[in-house]
Amino acid sequence: MLDPPKIAIITILEVLRLCSSNPKSGREGVAKVLGLKTATLVNALSTAVHNEIRFNRMKKRSNRHITGRNISVARLASSGKLFNIAVRRAKAHELRENSNQDWLDTWDITTKTRIGSLLLSMLIETARIPEHYSDPETGGRVQRMVPAFSHGYELSQGRKFGILTAHSALRELFKNDSIVGVINARHLPMLVPPRPWLTYNSGGYLSQDEPCMRIKDNAEQLRYLKKASNDDRLYTLLAGLDSLGLTKWSINRPVFDAVRKVWNSGKALGKIPAHSFETPEPAKPEDFETSDRARVKYRMEMQEWNNSRASQHSERCDCNYKVEIARAFLNYPMYFPHNMDFRGRAYPIPPHFNHLGNDLCRGLLVFHEGRALGERGLYWLKIHLANLFGKDKLSHDERLGFVEANMHNIMASADNPVPDSLVDGSAHAAQPWWLEAEDVWQALAACIELTAAVRSAEPTAYVSRLHIHQDGTCNGLQHYAAMGRDKKGAFEVNLMPSDRPQDVYAGVLNGVVRLIDEDARRGVAEAVALQGKLTRKIVKQTVMTNVYGVTLMGAKEQIGARLREVKDENGQHVFDLVAVSRTALYVAKKIFESLGEMFTQAQQIQNWLNESARRIAKSMPEPALESWKRMILDAKESQAKFRSALRDAKDNSRVLDNETILEIRPDLGPGAQRRKRLNALATKPMTTVVWTTPLGLTVVQPYRKLSKRCVATSLQSIAVNDVNMPSPVNSQKQKTAFPPNYVHSLDASHMTLSAIECKKAGLVFASVHDSYWTHACDVDRMNDIIRDQFVQLHRRPIMADLKAEFEDRYKDHLMPVVGWEYVAKSNFVDGGKLKLNKARVTKKTERAQKEKDVEMELALRHLEACGEAEAEGDAAVLEHRERKQAAAVEDERIQRAAEDLSASLEVLNLREVTLIDPKADLA
């Protein structure tokens, strides 16, 4: 076990790390708190302590051979020998044979929660921080020690959460002081090559054994992952993770110097937030008490202001992390070990500083290995710089012209990136040219690299270490177009030859503008307000995320944020804060409509994936379905017997005794609630959507309605997810998440195949999902590999394979017919009828509707007796007549449908889902 001082240090560092990187804002119009949920902290503390215990056990003399073996395997990976499948298979078999992981014990959820809670409560009781205040008597500054953390509660969506809040003085330290000392080494890059992934849980850091997949509350996925690893189906996928982890990085010193100068100045520049939040708080309107609109607008402005303040604090702390980690690794090479999510997408394990981070991270990083540019390398370096300034939709010649025309600006940016006048607060200081780029720090790095190359004796011989990017055009739509063999969609996303790159976002924007113009001519208020104000930036995020399952409400939030950024020549917001939500919803609907027009085939495939996932998630094996039927029948029969017994007892003026009641209704006896919960759980859909990627990874969607367990601790009662309890699936989430997850799994497969081939070709390779990086001189070779692997991937019958897998995996599953209730006299076999479920209404509403119907019926008969002409004059009576006729038609349709459905159709076979013909082009 651990010594008390070490446990105390782990507790302090972990709480400081989480509090400094995850501030949380409160509600509108209320004093803000920056805190974390107690449950999050408790879980993080227990995990950190548990990992340290494991590490200490591994360091024991009896386990020292493990570290030595890990280092030797890592050296073997660095030599490239492990990319031979035969060698990798032999080493993996040897590792499994000699694996002894007795030191990898596990803690149950109750133990983890109580240990973490105990440590947190001790920290709250003992941690103190100096606070300065004015003495009311002397007026001088006095120091006192106050608690550094406070524990409280916060209400959110009707639920109460425990919150840990750091003192304001401590939060200020997070924004300015060096905090690299609070970062656990397991969250930092490696100085040596990472251990290769030979099996599902032996790779990454040398001294830490964790699964290669990021798994949270999904034990089912871990079982599938272990089975795939033991069946030797993960070699290609794990080799891809190794190739990414072996890329060697360094800090870009000139860019770091510029970043440090801006950081130390405390000014907001280049997306580095200012030291303090200087936006004034919105003024409370004079008519706040009398005007509802003024009150609503003020509260929304306060919420926006508080969110901006919390966001600025968060960004400042995050930037502090990145600057300090870069400073620590300034003179050292580094490696980023990789793992993956449940879909197979690769991510660097160090969370705070890596090439998947923001523009600042990417600008600070360069490849450790340099390579001579050559003619094509110089060409691609210029193209890369133009792309960073948003010129990526121009032809290559136009981009080269842009760079040549701005060569003086490029050199000036490289020579003096951050003039002293800019950070000293001079009122008329000129902005450097590189700040006009979309990705400013990467643009500065490109300016410095291009300037150094041009000024060298031989530019083509200049050794460059800068990473050059090749990005996909809305990569999800590219996969949909390839799966559907959609030539029109393929052209829009640059899968077809063209003189210049197609801009899918501009295409959608043009469609949206056309639809809005049509509505404006009809006088639609939102359309009139949007005339001439829509830009590519407003629609881009929604177009990008539509293929990944963004909902209409999610798109509304995205567009609303972009509309609030639109300002007039006076710097005032064009769209009112109160009305922007309605306008954003209108634009979101138009974007979805425009996308449906442009990518019809993609929409059809997405619909098929949605429907397949819906049926799977609502299905159950036949025994479970029979149990569900029996439970319904038993419940109805016992209720009917109970009602009959109550009537008999009432007629005979007697009272039913308890024994008789329990004999008729055993579900009311002791343990009834527990049995009811277990029966309900046994008959709920438990089937999650599972499929296999082209690389052999079995993907299990983790969306379930997890059971909660309340753990009583010394700090508070904490509700935690109990992953060991069976939980029904979240059918809606399974349905909506399947199309984007499936496309992500294809995207991950393509990236992994490209990474392996680039490694075999001797290229230095990195990727950010659908953005591929290498040296400038190797871009042409990487492009050939990327395209070849994409073609090889989609030569497979991907959709047909998926359908065949579903038919085989779920062949014994049946789905109850949605919207119909089977009402049987005795059992489901002897017969019965299907009737449409109707919306529930209260008895009062039903009685009022019946009275209204009777009155209308009497009035109708009276008017018909007086003559048809008089009847036609009463609009209410006509409306009643039409409604009655429509109801009769609907009743007839329902009865007809019920008669057509045989008893065998009480369930629906999952295989009755038609597959889109992938060879049919929708030109």
Side-chain angles (χ1 to χ4, degrees), residues 24 33-39 41 120 124 149-155 159-166 715-718:
K24 175 179 176 292
V33 295
L34 298 174
L36 277 173
K37 289 182 179 179
T38 306
L41 283 164
L120 185 60
I124 294 173
F149 303 98
S150 60
H151 175 256
Y153 294 91
E154 180 179 301
L155 287 173
R159 300 175 64 186
K160 186 169 71 171
F161 297 94
I163 294 292
L164 183 80
T165 307
L715 185 63
Q716 65 173 67
S717 292
I718 300 176

Side-chain angles (χ1 to χ4, degrees), residues 609-628:
L609 295 173
N610 266 319
E611 178 61 18
S612 299
R614 185 185 74 85
R615 297 189 180 200
I616 291 170
K618 288 185 175 294
S619 70
M620 58 184 74
E622 193 168 355
L625 185 63
E626 292 300 324
S627 176
W628 174 69

